[in-house]
Amino acid sequence: MNALHAPTIVAIATPPGRGGVGIVRVSGAGAYAIATSITRRTLPPRVATFAAFKDANGTTLDEGLALWFPAPHSYTGEATLELHGHGSPFLLLSLVEACIAADPSGLTRMAQPGEFTQRAFLNGKLDLAQA
């Protein structure tokens, strides 16, 4: 897969339902622009950073931990952002929508089922047995 031409993808990474913590994952070339837009800060690599998660209008959607994984040091081998917030299904969907809106290229989209693992396989992070 050519990471420069693949769209950035985003999805809720925790099981559906009500849980205490929910995770939104973003992977692809637009992940860093989304990270800085959503958190309004520069995130250090591989450090859980407490941040407010904001939409395009600056409204705080939630607060939680943001983790930034620069390529190739992530599950998918691409630049990856994880937002660990509260587990409300409505809130998690709002974060996904904010991530899509935050990409200045306009190329971010919802991930298809299994697409994060597919990208990990295509980028040599997993072999077929692991996938």
Side-chain angles (χ1 to χ4, degrees), residues 72-115:
H73 306 292
S74 71
Y75 174 72
T76 61
E78 301 173 335
T80 301
L81 168 68
E82 287 188 0
L83 301 172
H84 296 229
H86 294 92
S88 157
F90 174 78
L91 172 66
L92 293 172
L93 185 56
S94 295
L95 281 174
V96 167
E97 291 170 352
C99 288
I100 291 169
D103 182 0
S105 73
L107 298 176
T108 297
R109 62 168 174 78
M110 288 285 294
Q112 298 296 315
E115 192 169 5

Side-chain angles (χ1 to χ4, degrees), residues 1 10 14 21 36 47-48 60-61 67 79 82-83 86 90 110 120 129:
M1 170 179 292
V10 60
T14 45
V21 175
T36 58
V47 174
T60 299
L61 299 173
L67 290 102
E82 287 188 0
L83 301 172
H86 294 92
F90 174 78
M110 288 285 294

Side-chain angles (χ1 to χ4, degrees), residues 2 9 12 15 26 31 52 54 56 60 72 81 86 89-90 92 101 113 122 128:
N2 185 339
I9 55 173
I12 299 169
V26 181
K54 298 183 180 277
T60 299
L81 168 68
H86 294 92
F90 174 78
L92 293 172
L122 293 173
L128 192 55

Side-chain angles (χ1 to χ4, degrees), residues 27-53:
S27 184
Y32 192 72
I34 293 168
T36 58
S37 178
I38 295 289
T39 65
R40 305 291 203 270
R41 54 193 313 181
T42 301
L43 299 174
R46 295 172 300 284
V47 174
T49 304
F50 182 76
F53 306 146

